[in-house]
Amino acid sequence: MTSTAQPTGSEGRKAHPEHLGHVIFITAAAAMGGFLFGYDSSVINGAVEAIRSRYDVGSALLAQVIAIALIGCAIGAATAGRIADRIGRIRVMQIASVLFTVSAVGSALPFSLWDLAFWRIIGGFAIGMASVIGPAYIAEVSPSAYRGRLGSFQQAAIVVGIAVSQLVNWGILNLADGDQRGKIVGLEAWQWMLGVMVVPAVLYGLLSFAIPESPRYLISVGKVSRAKEVLAEVEGHTVNLDTRVTEIQDAMRREHKSSFKDLLGSKMGFLPIVWVGIGLSVFQQLVGINVAFYYSSALWQSVGIDPSASFFYSFTTSIINIIGTVIAMVFVDKIGRRPLALIGSAGMAVSLALEAWAFSAKTAAGTLPPTEGTVALIAAHVFVLFFALSWGVVVWVFLGEMFPNKIRAAALGVAACAQWIANWAITASFPSLSDWNLSGTYVIYTVFALLSIPFVLKFVKETKGKALEEMG
């Protein structure tokens, strides 16, 4: 499969793939895991109030059922890499597809609140696996000249998945005449909302049979001939395949398997750069972004907006999320990561403060006056826009770039773990906090948005335009 007059090394990797459309298909198929990540994470938004009503549970217990999926997420993310190294990237995608499907069916047909929580843990495990395997696979099959753009498919798929879940929820609610517990063909509307995920989950599994295994994995298990076939398929037949295989083998031999011990410093436990990564991850969650994706329908209903309108606003917020993500993808390499993070922090602080002010006017009847209601809706959309165009993308870019090569993998794992923990803390605490004082809850999120500004200014260094080997 190797010709005698082919470019080698980096020259070969810059060659235009002969079948770029096929490479895009492969990438899009793998990014279906990201779509399910976004879909499964936010689809619960439409079922919160119905679950509260059906099982007659208080805010604290309800929050645990909503947040418990994050335990599965953490386990799935922690184990997916090792499983993929043992059985391959495609097999992990297929396992995730099965788990997504089982979770959707189980969540739609629960016998009790406790088995609903169990199915959510299963779905969370699939989310965690998809969050790791998608970006890894895409990076390993993408030609280097297109890796950045193809890598963005995963984040784009996540935000599209969030939007589609809200659109589906809104459509099902309308079929049920605006009643989340209204019956549709024998099941309540909220059950259909959770069950519809079977469709993209099965599609993800079917697509995994149509894409090739990662050449890196194939080489690691001695299937060099098949690896060359895949490399020719994704990088083009003008690439010197023997040279590419040698480069991959050399890179794998040089890799340092970073461990937890490598992250430890002498005084503060972790090395300072690791604490910065943890800080970025935690601040990304403590501004309350996942309240917008897990609880927005329940939130708007709690201030007097009817269910159909509240579901529609959840959908429009998701569209704003997509727009903001596209803006970030356009500007992150143009104006830099730090400026984008600071712009986002300032915008989030102002919009969160406006939401806090608006919710302070909540009446005894549980509604907002017209002016405050309008301000709350606009501010909520502006908050999501500023998050999406900054911290939603920038944090992942920083985490992929800021650590020295020697500790990158382990440091990323610790930072991601901190992010799941912070996500759980916000998700589990919001219902109880909002019962205590909705306006006060948003004041807390505002404070975290404000604190993120001096954190970035003092501790976070710009990584734009720097080689990974320069970090440290």
Side-chain angles (χ1 to χ4, degrees), residues 35 53 179 224 233 257 286 429 443:
F35 177 91
S53 169
D179 183 1
V224 175
E233 188 178 338
K257 296 290 185 181
L286 294 186
S429 64
V443 169

Side-chain angles (χ1 to χ4, degrees), residues 172-182 307-308:
I172 291 173
L173 186 71
N174 285 327
L175 287 176
D177 298 320
D179 183 1
Q180 288 165 267
R181 297 198 59 191
S308 183

Side-chain angles (χ1 to χ4, degrees), residues 36 39-51 54-55 65-66 99-110 112-113 115-117 119-120 123 165-166 168-170 172-173 180 187-201 294 311:
L36 283 160
Y39 192 102
D40 194 32
S41 295
S42 63
V43 71
I44 193 69
N45 190 358
V48 172
E49 289 306 305
I51 293 171
R54 175 158 174 171
Y55 297 107
V65 174
I66 304 304
L99 293 177
F100 275 124
T101 303
V102 170
S103 172
V105 174
S107 298
L109 303 170
S112 67
L113 187 66
D115 77 292
L116 174 61
W119 299 123
R120 285 192 50 72
S165 73
Q166 301 311 309
V168 169
N169 285 354
W170 181 56
I172 291 173
L173 186 71
Q180 288 165 267
L187 296 178
E188 295 182 4
W190 69 273
Q191 293 176 277
W192 283 105
M193 292 174 189
L194 300 183
V196 165
M197 192 179 69
V198 166
V199 177
Y294 297 162
F311 275 55

Side-chain angles (χ1 to χ4, degrees), residues 303-392:
V303 293
I305 293 175
D306 70 83
S308 183
S310 73
F311 275 55
F312 178 72
Y313 293 139
S314 295
F315 170 62
T316 57
T317 301
S318 300
I319 296 300
I320 294 295
N321 188 32
I322 294 174
I323 294 170
T325 300
V326 172
I327 293 173
M329 290 163 62
V330 170
F331 287 102
V332 70
D333 285 324
K334 292 184 178 180
I335 68 174
R337 291 79 162 122
R338 259 178 114 244
L340 214 52
L342 293 169
I343 290 169
S345 293
M348 288 190 296
V350 171
S351 53
L352 286 167
L354 287 171
E355 285 193 81
W357 171 80
F359 290 137
S360 69
K362 185 177 178 179
T363 66
T367 61
L368 292 180
T371 299
E372 284 81 355
T374 301
V375 169
L377 282 171
I378 294 173
H381 285 73
V382 171
F383 164 62
V384 171
L385 176 66
F386 273 100
F387 176 87
L389 65 80
S390 59
W391 285 74

Side-chain angles (χ1 to χ4, degrees), residues 13 17 20 23-24 27 31 134-157 325-326 328-330 332-333 337 393 396-397 401:
R13 291 196 299 276
L20 183 57
V23 176
I24 291 173
T27 303
Y137 174 85
I138 291 170
E140 290 176 357
V141 300
S142 299
S144 59
Y146 302 95
R147 186 170 297 134
R149 281 164 285 183
L150 293 173
S152 68
F153 274 45
Q154 174 79 357
Q155 180 63 23
T325 300
V326 172
M329 290 163 62
V330 170
V332 70
D333 285 324
R337 291 79 162 122
V393 170
W396 290 110
V397 175
E401 295 176 336

Side-chain angles (χ1 to χ4, degrees), residues 248-283:
I248 294 172
Q249 290 172 330
D250 288 344
M252 291 170 68
R253 280 193 291 267
R254 289 196 306 268
E255 278 183 355
H256 171 79
K257 296 290 185 181
S258 53
S259 65
F260 187 80
K261 184 178 179 180
D262 294 324
L263 307 181
L264 301 179
S266 57
K267 295 181 180 179
M268 300 182 293
F270 290 124
L271 296 168
I273 191 66
V274 178
W275 281 116
V276 174
I278 292 172
L280 284 167
S281 289
V282 169
F283 272 118

